[in-house]
Amino acid sequence: GFLPLQGHVVRNWKVRWFVLLQDKLLYYKIEGGKKEPSPKGRILLDGCTITCPCLEYENRPLLIKLKTKTNTDYFLECCSREERDSWALDITGAIHAGHPVQVQELHRMKNSFKLLENISLHNIVERMYDSSTGIKLTRNLDQGNRYKETFTGSALVDWLISNSFAVSRFEAVTLASMLMDENFLRPVGVRSTEATRSSNPSEKFLDDSTALYMFAESSKKNTSSKEEVHFNISELSGTIVKQGFLVKQGHKRKNWKVRKFVLRADPAFLHYYDPTKEDNKPVGGFSLRGCLISALEDNGVPAGVKGNVQGNLFKIITKNDIHYYIQASSKAERVQWIEAIKPLT
């Protein structure tokens, strides 16, 4: 699948097509909409160590770090926590392929939870407050309100795992719920507050990038003015239905670039992002109301499509008659996107 990779010499981000084999991770360049036949590079997994979640880049919470036996660092970015954890588990399995006992231990640890005896909740909170290694506090927006010094549920889960307070996301959610029950943390905003009303203890804390929390004694929310918000809040406030990397043809130059697509409902919008950029702002998007979507045949290049494309194309025509040509990585993925988008048109 597609993953952004940080370069070794020029420290910029490039999207590459990754293929995981038993002993190596290959990555390919996409040129003109098609994967090049020879790999651009390879990461040898023998003696490799993996860090996930990796919090070395504050703006990129979905990183996996691989350190090879020769001490070369590779940073890969996924587009969702589910995808990141799936890649991390598969890569870890490949690293330990010759050691089945280690693989069994990995699965056992991910499915069990016990608070370490020498760790107290007070100790965890003190570590969270640490100015250099603690949880990063940021301003966040929720329902038009701007909150100071908050963190998201998924950011706290990542932090607990990276600081070895928990092994799996299930453990970290359990631990975060305990911190909330003991009044160390409190929810702010609609999503996290509503979750606390759940009768199921495991659903009171949300491992979610839209659920906001703060330290219990931290302060107030500030309502933001419209001038402070540089994007349309309503169109970005919908529930995320599906997200992933797809290849899109440009409108002007007709070149093909990998974009991260995010499909939202209520309101129904499809936004796309440049995964090589540091900010997390869409570079484009459109309402799905009144759109037409269809798969394109793979035998030949349809009119309106430029370049030597890989295949698995589909087309979206907006109600303003703007045509978007998009490539999925497989026929199955194309079907999944079409089936997810159609009900929202």
Side-chain angles (χ1 to χ4, degrees):
F2 290 113
L3 297 172
L5 168 72
Q6 188 186 58
H8 294 299
V9 182
V10 180
R11 308 296 281 178
N12 58 352
W13 295 83
K14 299 283 187 186
V15 180
R16 297 290 181 247
W17 176 260
F18 281 83
V19 177
L20 177 61
L21 304 178
Q22 188 171 1
D23 60 344
K24 64 179 77 74
L25 191 58
L26 304 178
Y27 52 94
Y28 297 79
K29 187 178 179 182
I30 298 292
E31 196 65 58
K34 190 172 184 180
K35 183 186 79 174
E36 291 190 335
S38 300
K40 182 82 176 171
R42 67 192 69 221
I43 303 171
L44 299 178
L45 298 178
D46 179 40
C48 207
T49 58
I50 182 169
T51 304
C52 178
C54 171
L55 306 182
E56 292 192 25
Y57 290 86
E58 190 175 334
N59 292 346
R60 295 178 177 269
L62 302 175
L63 287 180
I64 296 171
K65 177 182 178 181
L66 296 174
K67 182 184 280 290
T68 67
K69 193 160 58 173
T70 57
N71 287 324
T72 304
D73 291 341
Y74 292 87
F75 292 93
L76 319 176
E77 185 178 37
C78 300
C79 70
S80 68
R81 279 165 178 80
E82 293 77 16
E83 184 189 47
R84 181 193 64 185
D85 293 347
S86 175
W87 269 103
L89 190 60
D90 288 342
I91 293 170
T92 303
I95 291 172
H96 298 310
H99 308 279
V101 174
Q102 287 179 280
V103 178
Q104 289 174 8
E105 180 67 9
L106 175 73
H107 285 279
R108 187 193 68 75
M109 291 173 72
K110 286 179 74 68
N111 294 315
S112 64
F113 175 67
K114 189 171 105 175
L115 185 63
L116 297 176
E117 293 178 5
N118 61 336
I119 297 293
S120 70
L121 295 180
H122 287 277
N123 186 339
I124 293 173
V125 174
E126 282 180 17
R127 290 275 297 278
M128 288 175 68
Y129 270 111
D130 189 283
S131 58
S132 58
T133 60
I135 189 87
K136 302 296 182 191
L137 302 178
T138 59
R139 290 173 179 265
N140 281 290
L141 194 70
D142 183 88
Q143 300 284 309
N145 294 321
R146 193 175 291 280
Y147 296 91
K148 289 182 178 179
E149 297 187 330
T150 59
F151 45 87
T152 66
S154 52
L156 177 55
V157 168
D158 287 347
W159 184 88
L160 289 168
I161 295 173
S162 67
N163 284 273
S164 303
F165 290 118
V167 173
S168 68
R169 304 193 78 77
F170 171 76
E171 291 185 15
V173 167
T174 306
L175 191 49
S177 300
M178 293 165 67
L179 290 169
M180 215 162 49
D181 288 342
E182 295 297 321
N183 205 31
F184 289 112
L185 311 177
R186 69 180 182 87
V188 290
V190 176
R191 287 215 64 205
S192 53
T193 303
E194 285 182 350
T196 60
R197 302 190 185 105
S198 171
S199 57
N200 187 342
S202 66
E203 296 174 0
K204 289 182 182 292
F205 182 89
L206 298 177
D207 178 8
D208 193 297
S209 59
T210 62
L212 302 181
Y213 299 88
M214 61 168 46
F215 292 116
E217 65 272 22
S218 293
S219 58
K220 319 163 183 176
K221 62 182 182 183
N222 288 335
T223 304
S224 68
S225 66
K226 290 181 181 176
E227 289 74 28
E228 288 179 292
V229 182
H230 301 291
F231 53 86
N232 187 328
I233 295 175
S234 63
E235 70 179 69
L236 293 171
S237 65
T239 304
I240 295 177
V241 175
K242 186 173 176 61
Q243 56 187 329
F245 295 111
L246 297 167
V247 189
K248 173 187 166 295
Q249 181 178 262
H251 290 300
K252 294 178 182 176
R253 295 178 59 193
K254 304 297 183 186
N255 55 348
W256 291 88
K257 291 189 175 178
V258 178
R259 293 290 181 248
K260 174 187 171 182
F261 280 79
V262 178
L263 175 62
R264 294 181 173 91
D266 301 321
F269 273 82
L270 185 63
H271 292 97
Y272 49 94
Y273 301 72
D274 184 345
T276 67
K277 301 296 183 188
E278 289 296 333
D279 61 21
N280 193 30
K281 295 177 183 176
V283 294
F286 51 91
S287 169
L288 290 171
R289 295 301 177 198
C291 283
L292 298 173
I293 181 169
S294 60
L296 299 177
E297 295 299 327
D298 290 338
N299 51 354
V301 179
V305 174
K306 305 293 183 185
N308 186 15
V309 299
Q310 190 85 27
N312 308 311
L313 281 165
F314 62 97
K315 178 170 71 171
I316 301 175
I317 306 174
T318 70
K319 64 180 180 182
N320 299 325
D321 200 35
I322 299 173
H323 293 225
Y324 289 86
Y325 293 97
I326 301 168
Q327 281 188 81
S329 60
S330 66
K331 284 186 172 63
E333 187 182 47
R334 176 173 66 179
V335 169
Q336 290 168 10
W337 273 100
I338 292 174
E339 289 181 347
I341 291 170
K342 261 188 179 174
L344 303 177
T345 60

